[in-house]
Amino acid sequence: GQQVMQIPQYQHVQEGEDFTTYCNSSTTLSNIQWYKQRPGGHPVFLIQLVKSGEVKKQKRLTFQFGEAKKNSSLHITATQTTDVGTYFCAVSGGYNKLIFGAGTRLAVHP
Amino acid sequence: GAVVSQHPSRVICKSGTSVKIECRSLDFQATTMFWYRQFPKKSLMLMATSNEGSKATYEQGVEKDKFLINHASLTLSTLTVTSAHPEDSSFYICSASDYSGQGNQPQHFGDGTRLSIL
């Protein structure tokens, strides 16, 4: 079935530094979604990317979808302590099912 | 909008007990609901897809008789862990989607249920 590799598993940054998490697939993706899960919380939908080469921004967050639609990234500029959590990418598993990446756990130290 | 309520948030019970978890979409009709299991610091593992008015579709390796799913209405799905044992202890989380039949829709998650079997 569909799988997606997400790296790194863990990232520790100082507040103000940038952060990036990457997702890669061996097959072409129809779309990719990104979620954030705060410690002790539930995943919250951030964005969906559909088009080849698409770039979307949400304040300090920049989401990219590769030209070949096989990879995606989430970049956070100037991290803040409120960015702490685990970021998951998710790809279609057929019939609206989602297959989640392993997640990247972000720790931000003030 | 798109609020999903999951109840209870935490359950501690003895081995052999059956536990029922409810997942409700509060402000939209959820044609499809999903049940996940999440181990500490791990990703979400899809257990089953629950469709209103039809049988749930279980992922490979998930026991149907162990994890009973009912989706009686467009706003309610339930997961019953039957005869729970310590190895069933985990974080169970549901999500709901207003799947329109056209590609993936965002999933809206409940707060999860932390199940501890003694």
Side-chain angles (χ1 to χ4, degrees):
Chain A
Q2 183 66 268
Q3 286 188 349
V4 61
M5 297 289 293
Q6 186 172 0
I7 57 171
Q9 287 188 9
Y10 177 73
Q11 184 88 54
H12 171 187
V13 300
Q14 289 295 126
E15 190 172 20
E17 291 182 340
D18 293 355
F19 159 79
T20 306
T21 173
Y22 303 89
C23 281
N24 295 287
S25 169
S26 58
T27 59
T28 303
L29 303 169
S30 55
N31 59 72
I32 191 164
Q33 297 182 10
W34 286 92
Y35 291 79
K36 176 184 178 181
Q37 184 176 22
R38 293 180 185 273
H42 61 270
V44 174
F45 172 77
L46 295 177
I47 209 160
Q48 176 167 274
L49 304 174
V50 178
K51 299 177 182 177
S52 168
E54 191 169 14
V55 178
K56 287 188 177 180
K57 291 190 175 184
Q58 291 179 353
K59 297 183 180 179
R60 293 178 295 103
L61 276 61
T62 301
F63 303 85
Q64 290 189 323
F65 203 9
E67 293 289 342
K69 299 181 72 173
K70 290 185 176 182
N71 58 75
S72 180
S73 65
L74 158 58
H75 179 83
I76 302 178
T77 304
T79 55
Q80 300 175 358
T81 54
T82 53
D83 295 325
V84 165
T86 302
Y87 293 86
F88 293 98
C89 63
V91 301
S92 174
Y95 193 64
N96 210 31
K97 291 195 305 184
L98 288 177
I99 306 299
F100 283 80
T104 297
R105 194 153 52 94
L106 173 63
V108 180
H109 285 255
Chain B
V3 178
V4 175
S5 173
Q6 186 172 340
H7 179 80
S9 58
R10 186 174 183 97
V11 179
I12 301 173
C13 57
K14 294 181 179 180
S15 184
T17 306
S18 291
V19 179
K20 189 176 188 178
I21 303 170
E22 291 188 348
C23 181
R24 294 180 183 273
S25 57
L26 299 185
D27 53 1
F28 68 103
Q29 292 187 330
T31 51
T32 309
M33 288 185 172
F34 303 89
W35 288 96
Y36 296 85
R37 185 171 179 176
Q38 187 176 33
F39 291 101
K41 298 182 181 180
K42 297 295 183 182
S43 188
L44 292 92
M45 183 188 78
L46 179 64
M47 297 174 65
T49 302
S50 173
N51 300 297
E52 187 267 336
S54 63
K55 289 183 179 180
T57 304
Y58 290 82
E59 295 300 304
Q60 193 172 10
V62 178
E63 298 178 58
K64 300 178 183 181
D65 296 332
K66 178 73 172 176
F67 300 100
L68 299 179
I69 291 172
N70 183 272
H71 195 151
S73 74
L74 283 171
T75 59
L76 174 64
S77 176
T78 59
L79 167 67
T80 302
V81 184
T82 61
S83 187
H85 289 96
E87 59 267 27
D88 298 322
S89 298
S90 190
F91 187 60
Y92 293 88
I93 190 163
C94 71
S95 71
S97 168
D98 56 351
Y99 179 55
S100 63
Q102 297 180 354
N104 288 95
Q105 299 297 316
Q107 291 187 16
H108 309 287
F109 286 83
D111 287 338
T113 298
R114 192 159 303 282
L115 176 61
S116 300
I117 308 298
L118 305 177

